[in-house]
Amino acid sequence: MNVREPLSVLKGFGPKSAEKFQKLGIYTLEDLLLYYPFRYEDFKSKSVFELIDGEKAVITGTVVTPANVQYYGFKRNRLGFKLKQGEAVVSVSFFNQPYLADKIELGQEIAVFGKWDSAKQSITGMKVLAQVEDDMQPVYRVAQGISQASLVKVIKAVFDTGVHLELKETLPQVLMDKYRLMTRSQATAAMHFPKDLAEYKQALRRVKFEELFYFQMNLQALKAENKSESNGLAIAYDEQKVQDKIAALPFPLTGAQKRSLDEILADMRSGGHMNRLLQGDVGSGKTVIASLAMYAAYTAGFQSAMMVPTEILAEQHYLSLQELFPDLSIAILTSGMKAAVKRTVLSAIADGSIDMIVGTHALIQDSVVYHKLGLVITDEQHRFGVNQRRLFREKGENPDVLMMTATPIPRTLAITAFGEMDVSIIDELPAGRKPIITRWVKHQQLDSVLNWVKSELAKNAQVYVISPLIEESEALDLKNAVALHQELSEYFAGQATVALMHGRMKNDEKDAIMQDFKDKKSQILVSTTVIEVGVNVPNATIMIIMDADRFGLSQLHQLRGRVGRGSKQSYAILVANPKTDSGKERMKIMTETTDGFVLAEADLKMRGSGEIFGTRQSGIPEFQVADIVEDYNILEEARRVASEIVKEKNWQTDEQWAPIVQNLKEKTDFD
């Protein structure tokens, strides 16, 4: 028997059983061995004085009252008795298990596993244990037709064959010695059936390191390949022209902008392929840096393209590029364009008479043929899938790639989530920008807020009002927004026009409403959806967020960034009566800082990476046991050691790293 064989080699394991296990992604004996539990029940007895409310635990004691079964309704009953542990007497209940009454005798010493209720000093039983078990019981994720017991039974049967000893070691001996790691077969056995907590922790350390190390090896190898001089375009831009353009800007660049631009231009000039993330808070001036990079490409005879998520944003970037470079030929390309106009633009892109192109994902359609594409910029990169970005790269001769995001990604994660990319961070705001004043008010204070809004409207201010977010229901979101729109329309009747925008509208409807707001045809905009990232309405100075505690910090910060785009003082008002400590904490920290990076770190600690990124869209892998927030120290070490290995010139032929090369070949298309 070997680990690569299908489950059907096991005795009594037919095609039907195999089909059920495939739902869990288990096809071979190796898949089964590496299908780890996600937690353990610890069946060591505890003192009732140590227990926390809601905790699942085992308590032992002497039965001091007879077991009594009460029936109420069809097949519904409750078995109850009392247990004495030392000085404490505990009420025990089992629901719908009347047969247990025969097992419980007065004066008997028993162990009960269940859920503790500290207010009632009672335990709701799940299991009566004949004796206290000292071992830790694994708990697995299961699918329909597979019970915990049957899964454990099959896993035990596989371990009994000893086939796990054949699992190939994936880590080189030098790393095993350096970090004092268990072997792969030892760790696999201890992940399922640990002798004790200490052994389990050692197994967990080994498995986490392996997962994070291979994640980093892939990223570092990819990064090294990108950097190879033969892999990209050497864009020999005209330095003097770029410097003259910077000098002609109506404002000086900040130190962080200069640093980021230098990093981008150095990448463009090198023969390696640029793959860089430009990260900066809302209003930090990323667009001007991206525009200067596009201009540098133009001076070297290359076209550049900027892809943004929406047509209104494309329009905005198009106008700002025209303003910055009035002498250049700039085009816009969106799916909503008339066919004849689109044909003209496509023909001009193909013959090279267009220098810069801004558009939506229309830029990567088959019909678009670039003349000489040297630089590709994607704005709000997490809105575009990996495949869309790949299609863009294939449009030219492997053009340099710059991705921009206004989502402040915690420094601890940027290096990981975008490990194959270089990261430039703009972490200071341009001079003259006033920090947004943020206030947290309770619902009871809303009247005085609206009264203050009246006085601001008289000074020509414009206001966003974000309707509360109900995660479970878009229909309820809409209902809330419609009601809020109606209330505000009545409240501000005769003084302001109140517009409504929501997720059920078509894109062109939303664009039209947003354009009207920008043109000051409406003064108040009620919206359910997050107002489009990056849309610039310099006159909007007030952002009111209803039920703000329903949003995460990163989302609140993104919303707040819709105001404060001009030179006027701007305000964000968070309306919330949070019931939880973390809700109160979020409101408090929002009023204390406008630094997106500080908030992103705090959000990460409160909510974890999955919720912030939406793991599937971000490209961050979902690890089986590792967690990039909790295990950041292991991740950092894995990154450091992977980076060192990849820097070695002949690492792929060095005997000591052979297990790594072998494993990368098996797991990926690495060569």
Side-chain angles (χ1 to χ4, degrees):
M1 204 183 275
N2 76 60
V3 292
R4 297 291 169 93
E5 288 188 90
L7 293 182
S8 53
V9 300
L10 295 170
K11 202 174 168 189
F13 208 92
K16 277 205 168 145
S17 301
E19 208 175 295
K20 286 177 190 167
F21 274 71
Q22 283 166 15
K23 290 181 200 163
L24 300 173
I26 299 172
Y27 295 84
T28 65
L29 298 180
E30 183 171 28
D31 294 338
L32 190 66
L33 291 169
L34 302 179
Y35 190 74
Y36 298 131
F38 69 95
R39 66 182 173 86
Y40 294 83
E41 303 286 19
D42 183 357
F43 284 150
K44 281 197 174 132
S45 175
K46 287 192 170 179
S47 156
V48 293
F49 299 113
E50 293 170 12
L51 298 179
I52 303 162
D53 188 46
E55 181 182 355
K56 287 181 184 171
V58 173
I59 63 165
T60 50
T62 309
V63 179
V64 290
T65 62
N68 176 29
V69 181
Q70 288 176 308
Y71 290 88
Y72 47 97
F74 181 63
K75 286 192 176 174
R76 294 177 67 197
N77 55 72
R78 174 182 166 273
L79 178 146
F81 60 93
K82 288 200 162 71
L83 203 60
K84 191 168 190 285
Q85 185 194 68
E87 297 304 306
V89 175
V90 175
S91 296
V92 183
S93 301
F94 279 91
F95 289 93
N96 305 324
Q97 297 180 58
Y99 51 85
L100 288 177
D102 298 338
K103 292 185 178 179
I104 293 155
E105 296 169 15
L106 264 175
Q108 181 191 10
E109 177 90 5
I110 65 164
V112 174
F113 174 66
K115 190 174 181 182
W116 177 249
D117 182 329
S118 54
K120 294 180 181 169
Q121 288 287 294
S122 69
I123 191 162
T124 301
M126 298 172 189
K127 199 172 179 184
V128 172
L129 308 172
Q131 74 274 336
V132 180
E133 300 169 34
D134 274 345
D135 58 342
M136 295 163 66
Q137 300 289 312
V139 182
Y140 299 87
R141 297 192 196 284
V142 290
Q144 199 175 356
I146 305 173
S147 66
Q148 285 289 336
S150 63
L151 183 56
V152 171
K153 192 176 168 187
V154 176
I155 292 171
K156 272 193 166 135
V158 174
F159 272 98
D160 288 345
T161 66
V163 74
H164 65 288
L165 299 171
E166 283 182 34
L167 280 171
K168 204 158 60 209
E169 186 48 71
T170 52
L171 291 175
Q173 195 59 44
V174 57
L175 293 185
M176 307 254 293
D177 294 343
K178 182 178 180 181
Y179 299 114
R180 296 182 183 161
L181 298 172
M182 281 180 165
T183 66
R184 192 168 180 230
S185 59
Q186 283 171 337
T188 306
M191 282 297 288
H192 292 282
F193 308 115
K195 287 202 284 287
D196 51 35
L197 194 57
E199 187 184 56
Y200 170 61
K201 282 183 174 168
Q202 285 306 316
L204 200 56
R205 195 168 73 90
R206 148 80 208 214
V207 174
K208 284 179 174 181
F209 179 81
E210 184 180 338
E211 277 194 326
L212 296 172
F213 172 70
Y214 275 104
F215 168 56
Q216 286 295 341
M217 275 305 299
N218 271 311
L219 292 182
Q220 298 302 327
L222 203 58
K223 197 169 182 177
E225 194 186 325
N226 261 333
K227 287 273 179 272
S228 157
E229 287 295 318
S230 59
N231 247 341
L233 297 170
I235 298 177
Y237 62 90
D238 186 321
E239 209 162 320
Q240 193 51 54
K241 281 185 178 169
V242 174
Q243 287 309 320
D244 291 348
K245 188 53 75 178
I246 293 170
L249 290 172
F251 47 81
L253 295 180
T254 63
Q257 282 177 311
K258 283 183 194 152
R259 186 181 63 238
S260 296
L261 182 60
D262 288 347
E263 288 165 355
I264 292 162
L265 293 177
D267 276 2
M268 286 169 68
R269 177 156 274 187
S270 83
H273 174 246
M274 173 163 80
N275 193 19
R276 186 170 282 279
L277 178 73
L278 177 61
Q279 206 191 335
D281 221 333
V282 171
S284 61
K286 293 180 299 299
T287 312
V288 72
I289 298 306
S291 306
L292 289 166
M294 291 172 88
Y295 181 71
Y298 156 75
T299 68
F302 286 95
Q303 287 175 313
S304 51
M306 182 190 278
M307 181 161 75
V308 296
T310 63
E311 297 197 4
I312 191 166
L313 261 178
E315 185 74 33
Q316 187 174 294
H317 283 308
Y318 171 64
L319 294 172
S320 72
L321 283 171
Q322 279 190 320
E323 206 177 304
L324 269 175
F325 312 117
D327 311 337
L328 302 195
S329 173
I330 299 164
I332 185 167
L333 189 64
T334 63
S335 43
M337 287 167 80
K338 290 195 168 67
V341 179
K342 195 183 249 185
R343 272 198 301 278
T344 311
V345 172
L346 288 174
S347 149
I349 292 171
D351 69 23
S353 50
I354 299 282
D355 305 313
M356 298 176 181
I357 307 103
V358 183
T360 55
H361 55 266
L363 292 175
I364 52 176
Q365 283 163 358
D366 290 346
S367 55
V368 189
V369 178
Y370 294 90
H371 175 67
K372 195 181 178 188
L373 184 64
L375 175 66
V376 161
I377 295 171
T378 58
D379 191 11
E380 279 312 313
Q381 62 89 43
H382 61 278
R383 298 279 192 95
F384 299 108
V386 175
N387 287 341
Q388 283 176 305
R389 301 204 292 264
R390 182 178 52 74
L391 283 169
F392 217 157
R393 283 206 301 277
E394 288 168 3
K395 283 285 181 189
E397 298 292 310
N398 203 12
D400 281 348
V401 175
L402 179 68
M403 296 180 185
M404 299 197 294
T405 180
T407 308
I409 298 152
R411 287 176 174 83
T412 45
L413 275 192
I415 211 159
T416 307
F418 305 101
E420 84 281 18
M421 300 170 80
D422 295 297
V423 181
S424 291
I425 296 177
I426 303 181
D427 49 9
E428 56 185 299
L429 287 180
R433 279 279 169 93
K434 292 177 179 159
I436 299 162
I437 293 171
T438 305
R439 296 274 183 266
W440 165 28
V441 301
K442 303 283 177 73
H443 279 273
Q444 303 86 293
Q445 298 163 281
L446 191 56
D447 263 356
S448 56
V449 169
L450 294 179
N451 213 12
W452 166 75
V453 167
K454 272 188 174 173
S455 64
E456 290 296 307
L457 286 169
K459 301 178 205 166
N460 293 323
Q462 280 177 281
V463 187
Y464 290 111
V465 184
I466 302 299
S467 169
L469 175 83
I470 295 171
E471 285 167 5
E472 298 80 32
S473 165
E474 199 180 309
L476 284 173
D477 273 355
L478 182 54
K479 201 170 147 198
N480 272 336
V482 170
L484 188 60
H485 174 249
Q486 201 175 337
E487 283 168 33
L488 293 177
S489 297
E490 286 167 17
Y491 188 92
F492 292 105
Q495 193 179 354
T497 304
V498 184
L500 171 66
M501 189 162 89
H502 56 77
R504 296 268 178 96
M505 289 174 169
K506 292 191 172 72
N507 280 342
D508 48 1
E509 274 183 277
K510 284 196 270 192
D511 284 357
I513 289 164
M514 205 66 218
Q515 199 58 53
D516 281 354
F517 187 60
K518 209 173 169 178
D519 298 340
K520 302 182 188 174
K521 289 179 187 167
S522 55
Q523 291 72 47
I524 298 171
L525 178 59
V526 175
S527 173
T528 58
T529 52
V530 173
I531 309 289
E532 278 308 346
V533 171
V535 173
N536 219 340
V537 183
N539 196 54
T541 53
I542 298 169
M543 165 64 69
I544 298 173
I545 305 170
M546 303 300 292
D547 288 333
D549 54 322
R550 291 177 183 268
F551 297 87
L553 283 173
S554 293
Q555 238 177 338
L556 287 171
H557 183 63
Q558 283 283 331
L559 286 168
R560 172 166 66 182
R562 297 302 109 231
V563 296
R565 316 288 286 194
S567 53
K568 294 180 185 173
Q569 180 61 61
S570 289
Y571 304 88
I573 312 295
L574 312 175
V575 184
N577 294 20
K579 294 183 174 54
T580 64
D581 288 344
S582 82
K584 289 171 189 158
E585 185 62 31
R586 285 203 302 282
M587 297 306 100
K588 195 163 159 286
I589 196 166
M590 280 296 294
T591 62
E592 289 167 356
T593 181
T594 52
D595 184 326
F597 292 102
V598 171
L599 289 168
E601 289 284 358
D603 210 10
L604 184 64
K605 289 191 181 83
M606 285 184 197
R607 301 194 302 154
S609 60
E611 282 188 60
I612 289 176
F613 282 107
T615 303
R616 276 176 196 82
Q617 67 178 137
S618 67
I620 296 184
E622 294 188 58
F623 298 109
Q624 199 186 343
V625 291
D627 178 299
I628 54 179
V629 181
E630 279 178 27
D631 302 319
Y632 183 70
N633 54 347
I634 302 178
L635 176 71
E636 215 11 67
E637 187 55 32
R639 187 188 66 80
R640 196 186 62 72
V641 74
S643 168
E644 276 175 15
I645 292 168
V646 170
K647 275 182 195 147
E648 289 180 22
K649 207 170 185 180
N650 301 315
W651 72 272
Q652 292 182 46
T653 52
D654 187 333
E655 195 49 43
Q656 71 171 334
W657 306 129
I660 298 176
V661 177
Q662 182 62 33
N663 197 47
L664 285 171
K665 278 181 181 165
E666 285 178 17
K667 292 276 196 302
T668 62
D669 51 6
F670 176 84
D671 53 41

